[in-house]
Amino acid sequence: MSELVLGVVGWGRLGTAVHDLARAEGHEVRVYASRTLPNPRTEAAPDVVVDCSAPAALTGVAELCHHWRRPLVQCVSGLDEQQEAMLSRLGRSVAVVAAPNLTLGNYLLSRAMRCIAEVVTTMARAGVTGAVPEAAVFERHPARKAHRPSTTAVQLSGLWTSLTEHEVSDVASLRAGDSVSDHELRLGWDGQSLALMHTVGSMRTAAAGAIGIAAAATHLPVGVHHAHDVFDQMLAVMGGDGGKDQR
């Protein structure tokens, strides 16, 4: 990976992990405190901005990216409708990657869900009774994460519904433990069950995803993209099909 100049907003666990790993990989990193953002007219622009701060900082971060004309990797979860609309407006001038979950494992979980949904909905259309299982989503984060359910859990629930046209029965949240997070899709049929679970035990995992997505964001067209779209494109390039949609 060529050297990047990353602008990282926030000095919390994720921001620190991104800073440390990016520096170890030879990239230049400029860390901005969310409450004292730089003046975009006087501060040199990085290649890409990675927001690891908090929802309240989004207005300032969006203004930075707009004035700098630099892509944004938005890693903050728990955005409300107005903040999501703000990202959409920013996407008219720069590339924006919505990345509340940065990990490869979350991407693979979503792809597994697509495969399962395709099978069970095909069976249902063929007349197999009870082919589409009852589904529930479980997520766990440490007690310090106040926002619940997590954005990742909500997105997993929405993905299942969009793929099967069946609502999940529950999205359950637990706030306890020390590791970063657990997310699980639980499927149940009469007499059997299946669980897909993804566990993250280190912020370094998320940081690696943030750096990879940030590098890709510098080549994305203007617009709002999802982190999974970026993984799709990376996989397509590795497979040699020039960016064909993997989904």
Side-chain angles (χ1 to χ4, degrees):
M1 184 187 298
S2 60
E3 181 179 344
L4 284 172
V5 179
L6 278 79
V8 178
V9 181
W11 197 243
R13 292 194 305 154
L14 179 57
T16 300
V18 171
H19 169 272
D20 293 348
L21 183 58
R23 289 287 300 273
E25 292 181 351
H27 306 301
E28 179 181 344
V29 185
R30 302 169 188 169
V31 179
Y32 311 122
S34 60
R35 295 183 180 180
T36 55
L37 292 171
N39 186 333
R41 295 175 177 82
T42 59
E43 182 87 7
D47 295 324
V48 56
V49 175
V50 182
D51 186 10
C52 306
S53 59
L58 181 57
T59 299
V61 172
E63 290 175 354
L64 275 182
C65 293
H66 176 73
H67 284 286
W68 276 335
R69 288 297 192 270
R70 291 295 190 269
L72 170 65
V73 179
Q74 177 54 256
C75 308
V76 179
S77 62
L79 301 181
D80 61 27
E81 291 184 1
Q82 291 184 337
Q83 291 162 333
E84 294 285 358
M86 187 183 302
L87 286 182
S88 295
R89 290 193 296 272
L90 179 62
R92 299 171 188 167
S93 58
V94 302
V96 175
V97 181
N101 194 304
L102 298 151
T103 63
L104 175 62
N106 176 256
Y107 171 66
L108 295 175
L109 175 56
S110 73
R111 290 197 61 153
M113 288 173 62
R114 293 178 185 278
C115 180
I116 292 169
E118 181 180 3
V119 171
V120 298
T121 55
T122 297
M123 295 174 69
R125 287 193 297 270
V128 177
T129 302
V132 179
E134 179 184 55
V137 173
F138 169 78
E139 59 99 356
R140 187 207 57 79
H141 287 82
R144 58 181 168 269
K145 184 178 180 68
H147 172 64
R148 70 166 71 192
S150 67
T151 300
T152 296
V154 172
Q155 290 183 344
L156 289 174
S157 171
L159 177 60
W160 180 258
T161 300
S162 69
L163 293 172
T164 66
E165 299 184 351
H166 286 66
E167 298 282 345
V168 301
S169 61
D170 192 18
V171 178
S173 299
L174 176 66
R175 294 292 175 263
D178 295 326
S179 63
V180 177
S181 65
D182 303 321
H183 292 93
E184 182 177 356
L185 175 71
R186 299 178 179 180
L187 305 176
W189 300 263
D190 185 20
Q192 61 182 324
S193 63
L194 175 67
L196 302 176
M197 184 173 184
H198 175 229
T199 295
V200 178
S202 170
M203 292 304 297
R204 184 182 177 90
T205 302
I211 295 167
I213 290 170
T218 62
H219 303 291
L220 290 175
V222 169
V224 178
H225 311 265
H226 191 278
H228 290 182
D229 299 328
V230 178
F231 278 119
D232 281 341
Q233 293 181 22
M234 290 178 179
L235 187 61
V237 170
M238 293 173 189
D241 64 1
K244 183 179 178 181
D245 190 352
Q246 292 296 307
R247 295 175 295 171

